Amino acid sequence: MAVSYYLCPQSLRVSSGSRLFISNSGYSWDNHKKRIHHLVCASARQPEKDLCLESKLLHLLLLWVRRVEVDPHLSPPKVQTLLDNVKWDDKGLAVAIAQNVDTGAILMQGFANRDAVVTAISSRKATFYSRSRSMLWTKGETSNNFINIHDIFFDCDRDSIIYLGKPDGPTCHTGSETCYYTSVFDLKEHQQVEGNELALTTLYSLESTILQRKSEVEAEQSGKPSWTKRLLLDNHLLCSKIREEADELCRTLEENEDKSRTASEMADVLYHAMVLLALKDVKVEDVMQVLRQRFSKSGIEEKKSRVSQG
Amino acid sequence: MAVSYYLCPQSLRVSSGSRLFISNSGYSWDNHKKRIHHLVCASARQPEKDLCLESKLLHLLLLWVRRVEVDPHLSPPKVQTLLDNVKWDDKGLAVAIAQNVDTGAILMQGFANRDAVVTAISSRKATFYSRSRSMLWTKGETSNNFINIHDIFFDCDRDSIIYLGKPDGPTCHTGSETCYYTSVFDLKEHQQVEGNELALTTLYSLESTILQRKSEVEAEQSGKPSWTKRLLLDNHLLCSKIREEADELCRTLEENEDKSRTASEMADVLYHAMVLLALKDVKVEDVMQVLRQRFSKSGIEEKKSRVSQG
């Protein structure tokens, strides 16, 4: 039975403790639909008791069906050419970086061979090549925390790949949102315990600070007084500030103020609005998701019709 | 003369066409200050005519002085331990990803050895190991587009590094903001020419769409009508929408509306405010920079005193 390794969901686990087999019934080639139909043998190597068979099986079968549908010959010629021109290293690999499409957070980094990229294009799940296990693996196969791909990018040198996607849950096997939580400068300057600080970009670093102030307020810790804490404790003050800052932002346009004033007022609007988000337990990532869904492709036109109807 | 290769700015170029030498005057070890003082020999390998010697030389000498100041023995023990525990590959390398601290954009990816990381910690410039040239190189040595490091993160497996920093200019040698501008799905779905689409996360993808509408309006292209174009052409409408959306966001707190309503209203505030930013030629990245500078460490307290004085 010659079946490509990537058709085998080797991480399949069953609750019974016994191995599960799906027998191979051969394959057919449908010239009209240009698809290969397979059934493959799958063997659970690490049976575990506490997993729900039905749920896991469904996920894995769906994944497997997606993988089976991979047909390199179906990819448009330009994608084929792109893949032909990738500078795979001496092991046939390129660096593959998974990035959260909404927050920009770098979730994890692995390696991909050509099959992994072809599988990722087809299944829309971030797929890597495991150098230690010498096989393809799709992030989420065991944890269900898949990274759902929105687009794939190659760099100018054609030896580095971004999987731009939306994670179903924490990416790191430790339960952390991303795998990057050990800050060198944190260690260098504060000698703190490793693993305290996620690699956060500006907006999410500010969100993290606001949430920290919120937890201090909720725990009634004394700590240092801060403007953020005052806002968190006074809805009237917060809302009057948001309205005031929005007005000041508008006046930079209406009164033709300079660019730096606009950037400064927009920063004020963002900060105060983010304090409100924290109070409402809404994450900036949730807002980004709304923006993405609303404004993808035809979204702006939809917005137009929604407003013009209103 | 035994000088570590990373002390040699080999990319030094001179305008005269002749080679430039800075002779080695030996070194001294100052036990009190714990610094090594060097002067090294530098030879311009690819003389070019059009570069300003003074400017380039100053940059390179500053970089060289920073490198010379690298003393691994001075790093705190926990950073030393971290570096000792990195899983360098069989060539002594780990993957190093440079990310824009404000936008989250992945700028480029290279490889780093221990010396590169130590140099990056010390110089605060993203530094890599060039596999093709078998030497350290600091991004920006030739282009002046350095990536100024704010923090460095290791992943859970200790074999992948993020240089989180602020680029001085476009990172890619092609002049593109980042090296990732070839979208597989763009090729797959539209068969467009490669290189049209940067890997943008949600907020910057929306900004790009708004800027595209702005250029259509400015070029008086007919194109499809859109809500964004209407806003771009009518300051009164835009400002009334920004004030209205800010008010609606506040009301989700004041009237205890559900979380999804808050996320939706915040998305409205952001989108309309971003149209104003586009009109004022202010980039979202500029706003993030203001936020970062204002709210880093003591920033929120500064804000408090500023406001309480006001």
Side-chain angles (χ1 to χ4, degrees):
Chain A
M1 187 179 88
V3 177
S4 302
Y5 56 87
Y6 66 78
L7 297 176
C8 245
Q10 291 192 28
S11 57
L12 191 66
R13 295 171 184 191
V14 294
S15 56
S16 65
S18 65
R19 293 186 176 198
L20 176 78
F21 291 90
I22 306 168
S23 59
N24 180 10
S25 66
Y27 67 91
S28 64
W29 174 255
D30 182 335
N31 271 325
H32 183 61
K33 288 187 180 172
K34 302 256 181 198
R35 275 189 181 175
I36 301 168
H37 302 276
H38 270 293
L39 273 181
V40 298
C41 167
S43 165
R45 291 194 169 175
Q46 294 174 289
E48 281 186 6
K49 287 185 178 172
D50 298 325
L51 295 169
C52 167
L53 173 61
E54 292 72 20
S55 162
K56 298 291 295 179
L57 196 56
L58 188 64
H59 265 289
L60 287 162
L61 283 178
L62 284 173
L63 195 67
W64 165 74
V65 167
R66 286 200 194 97
R67 282 182 175 177
V68 168
E69 286 176 358
V70 172
D71 177 7
H73 303 294
L74 283 181
S75 295
K78 285 206 171 175
V79 175
Q80 287 299 317
T81 306
L82 180 63
L83 293 174
D84 289 342
N85 289 330
V86 171
K87 287 186 197 153
W88 309 106
D89 69 11
D90 50 6
K91 291 164 188 151
L93 303 175
V95 168
I97 305 160
Q99 184 180 31
N100 185 318
V101 64
D102 284 331
T103 67
I106 297 176
L107 301 168
M108 60 167 287
Q109 176 260 310
F111 292 86
N113 60 6
R114 188 178 173 126
D115 281 343
V117 177
V118 169
T119 302
I121 292 172
S122 167
S123 68
R124 294 239 177 184
K125 307 279 179 195
T127 303
F128 302 87
Y129 181 81
S130 164
R131 295 176 301 171
S132 57
R133 291 180 291 156
S134 302
M135 59 180 284
L136 287 214
W137 69 279
T138 296
K139 167 68 199 163
E141 273 181 1
T142 52
S143 66
N144 278 348
N145 291 331
F146 294 95
I147 298 171
N148 305 287
I149 287 179
H150 287 255
D151 206 341
I152 298 173
F153 288 84
F154 280 89
D155 77 339
C156 52
D157 289 337
R158 299 281 189 279
D159 60 2
S160 185
I161 302 161
I162 296 177
Y163 287 149
L164 195 61
K166 187 74 182 173
D168 282 332
T171 293
C172 189
H173 69 285
T174 60
S176 171
E177 192 190 329
T178 82
C179 294
Y180 298 87
Y181 50 77
T182 303
S183 154
V184 171
F185 285 20
D186 204 37
L187 280 179
K188 188 167 174 274
E189 285 157 25
H190 308 295
Q191 292 285 295
Q192 288 176 354
V193 181
E194 290 179 40
N196 277 348
E197 195 184 341
L198 270 181
L200 295 176
T201 50
T202 298
L203 200 61
Y204 301 90
S205 177
L206 174 58
E207 180 178 49
S208 167
T209 303
I210 293 170
L211 291 175
Q212 201 180 319
R213 297 284 174 274
K214 189 187 171 199
S215 68
E216 288 166 14
V217 164
E218 285 171 345
E220 295 183 3
Q221 289 172 352
S222 54
K224 275 196 272 185
S226 84
W227 177 242
T228 306
K229 287 185 188 173
R230 270 191 64 190
L231 292 170
L232 285 165
L233 288 165
D234 187 342
N235 288 1
H236 178 74
L237 174 65
L238 175 60
C239 290
S240 74
K241 285 301 296 177
I242 292 172
R243 289 182 174 103
E244 178 188 318
E245 299 297 352
D247 180 66
E248 286 178 7
L249 175 66
C250 290
R251 283 199 279 126
T252 69
L253 179 67
E254 293 165 338
E255 297 169 15
N256 201 23
E257 293 185 273
D258 66 22
K259 286 169 60 169
S260 66
R261 183 93 184 138
T262 303
S264 174
E265 294 302 341
M266 181 64 184
D268 281 334
V269 169
L270 261 178
Y271 161 65
H272 288 90
M274 281 169 70
V275 176
L276 187 146
L277 293 187
L279 277 172
K280 294 288 289 179
D281 281 326
V282 173
K283 298 197 77 176
V284 172
E285 184 171 357
D286 302 333
V287 178
M288 293 303 159
Q289 189 164 315
V290 171
L291 276 177
R292 175 165 47 81
Q293 287 164 350
R294 192 179 293 169
F295 294 106
S296 58
K297 308 289 176 192
S298 61
I300 289 181
E301 273 58 50
E302 284 167 21
K303 170 78 187 171
K304 175 185 169 281
S305 33
R306 185 167 71 84
V307 171
S308 58
Q309 283 163 11
Chain B
M1 186 181 88
V3 177
S4 300
Y5 56 88
Y6 66 80
L7 298 177
C8 246
Q10 292 193 27
S11 58
L12 191 66
R13 294 173 184 191
V14 294
S15 55
S16 65
S18 64
R19 294 185 177 198
L20 176 78
F21 292 90
I22 306 168
S23 59
N24 179 12
S25 65
Y27 67 91
S28 65
W29 173 255
D30 182 336
N31 271 324
H32 182 63
K33 289 188 180 171
K34 303 254 182 198
R35 275 188 181 174
I36 301 167
H37 302 278
H38 270 293
L39 272 181
V40 298
C41 167
S43 164
R45 290 192 168 176
Q46 294 175 287
E48 283 187 5
K49 286 185 180 173
D50 299 325
L51 296 168
C52 167
L53 173 62
E54 291 72 20
S55 162
K56 299 291 295 178
L57 196 56
L58 187 65
H59 265 289
L60 287 161
L61 282 178
L62 283 173
L63 195 67
W64 164 75
V65 168
R66 285 200 195 95
R67 283 181 174 178
V68 168
E69 286 175 358
V70 172
D71 176 7
H73 304 295
L74 283 182
S75 295
K78 285 206 171 175
V79 175
Q80 287 298 318
T81 307
L82 179 64
L83 293 174
D84 288 343
N85 289 329
V86 170
K87 288 186 196 151
W88 308 106
D89 69 10
D90 51 5
K91 291 165 189 152
L93 303 176
V95 168
I97 305 160
Q99 184 180 30
N100 185 319
V101 64
D102 285 330
T103 66
I106 297 176
L107 301 169
M108 60 167 288
Q109 177 260 311
F111 292 86
N113 61 5
R114 189 178 172 126
D115 281 344
V117 177
V118 168
T119 303
I121 292 172
S122 166
S123 67
R124 295 239 177 182
K125 307 279 179 195
T127 304
F128 303 87
Y129 181 80
S130 164
R131 295 176 300 172
S132 57
R133 291 178 293 155
S134 302
M135 60 181 284
L136 288 213
W137 69 279
T138 296
K139 167 67 200 164
E141 274 181 0
T142 51
S143 66
N144 279 346
N145 291 330
F146 294 96
I147 298 171
N148 305 287
I149 287 180
H150 288 254
D151 206 342
I152 297 173
F153 288 84
F154 280 88
D155 77 339
C156 52
D157 290 336
R158 300 279 189 280
D159 60 2
S160 185
I161 302 162
I162 296 178
Y163 288 148
L164 194 62
K166 187 75 182 174
D168 281 333
T171 294
C172 190
H173 69 284
T174 60
S176 171
E177 192 189 330
T178 83
C179 294
Y180 298 88
Y181 50 77
T182 304
S183 156
V184 170
F185 285 20
D186 202 41
L187 279 180
K188 188 168 175 275
E189 285 156 25
H190 306 295
Q191 292 285 295
Q192 288 177 355
V193 181
E194 288 179 42
N196 276 347
E197 196 184 340
L198 269 181
L200 294 176
T201 50
T202 298
L203 200 61
Y204 302 91
S205 176
L206 174 58
E207 181 180 46
S208 166
T209 303
I210 292 169
L211 290 175
Q212 201 180 320
R213 298 285 174 274
K214 189 187 172 199
S215 68
E216 287 166 14
V217 165
E218 286 172 345
E220 295 182 1
Q221 288 173 354
S222 55
K224 276 197 274 187
S226 85
W227 177 242
T228 306
K229 287 185 188 172
R230 269 191 65 190
L231 293 170
L232 285 165
L233 289 165
D234 187 343
N235 289 2
H236 179 73
L237 173 67
L238 174 61
C239 290
S240 74
K241 285 302 296 176
I242 291 173
R243 290 182 174 102
E244 177 188 319
E245 299 298 351
D247 180 66
E248 287 178 6
L249 175 65
C250 291
R251 284 200 278 125
T252 69
L253 179 67
E254 292 164 339
E255 297 169 14
N256 201 23
E257 293 185 274
D258 66 22
K259 288 169 59 168
S260 65
R261 183 92 184 135
T262 303
S264 174
E265 294 303 341
M266 180 65 183
D268 281 335
V269 169
L270 261 178
Y271 160 66
H272 287 91
M274 282 169 69
V275 177
L276 186 145
L277 292 188
L279 277 172
K280 295 286 291 179
D281 281 325
V282 172
K283 298 197 78 177
V284 173
E285 184 171 359
D286 302 334
V287 178
M288 294 301 159
Q289 188 164 317
V290 171
L291 275 177
R292 174 164 49 80
Q293 287 163 350
R294 192 179 294 170
F295 295 105
S296 59
K297 308 288 177 191
S298 62
I300 289 181
E301 273 59 48
E302 285 169 21
K303 171 77 187 173
K304 176 185 169 281
S305 32
R306 186 167 71 85
V307 171
S308 58
Q309 285 164 7

